[in-house]
Amino acid sequence: MDFYKTIDKIKQILTDNSYSTIAGEISACLQQGSTGSEILMIVGHYLLQLKEASPKAYLLIQKDIEEFVSECNKIGLFPGGN
C-alpha cells in the first residue's frame, strides 16, 4: 500500500464533500512527524478519532480508514493503541 496515496485520496474525498478543514488538519498531521512511521501513527490516530469528533466525515472515508489502519497494523504500527 502506498500510504501517501491513500492519505491524498482521503483528503480529496473530504475536500469534495465540504470537509476541507479536516483535510487541512490531516495535512498538518503529516508535518508533525519526523519519520515515516511517526507520521503514519499521527495520521492514523487522527483518522480514528474522527469517528467521535466528526461522525459524518468518518462515514465518508470509513473504508479507507479501516484499510489504512489494517495496513499499519501489518507493519507493526497500532494507531488505535492496540
Side-chain angles (χ1 to χ4, degrees), residues 7-76:
I7 293 168
D8 285 342
K9 177 184 174 189
I10 288 170
K11 288 175 21 182
Q12 189 61 54
I13 291 168
L14 291 167
T15 299
D16 291 348
N17 287 277
S18 301
Y19 291 101
S20 56
T21 301
I22 294 173
E25 291 173 2
I26 294 170
S27 294
C29 288
L30 289 169
Q31 296 175 359
Q32 291 175 15
S34 57
T35 65
S37 57
E38 189 176 47
I39 292 167
L40 295 178
M41 290 292 290
I42 292 167
V43 172
H45 178 75
Y46 179 80
L47 292 173
L48 288 171
Q49 66 85 30
L50 285 175
K51 188 171 189 174
E52 291 186 21
S54 184
K56 290 180 182 179
Y58 179 86
L59 288 174
L60 282 172
I61 55 174
Q62 181 176 359
K63 181 180 173 197
D64 296 302
I65 292 172
E66 290 171 354
E67 182 181 337
F68 180 89
V69 171
S70 175
E71 292 298 317
C72 284
N73 292 168
K74 287 179 185 177
I75 61 171

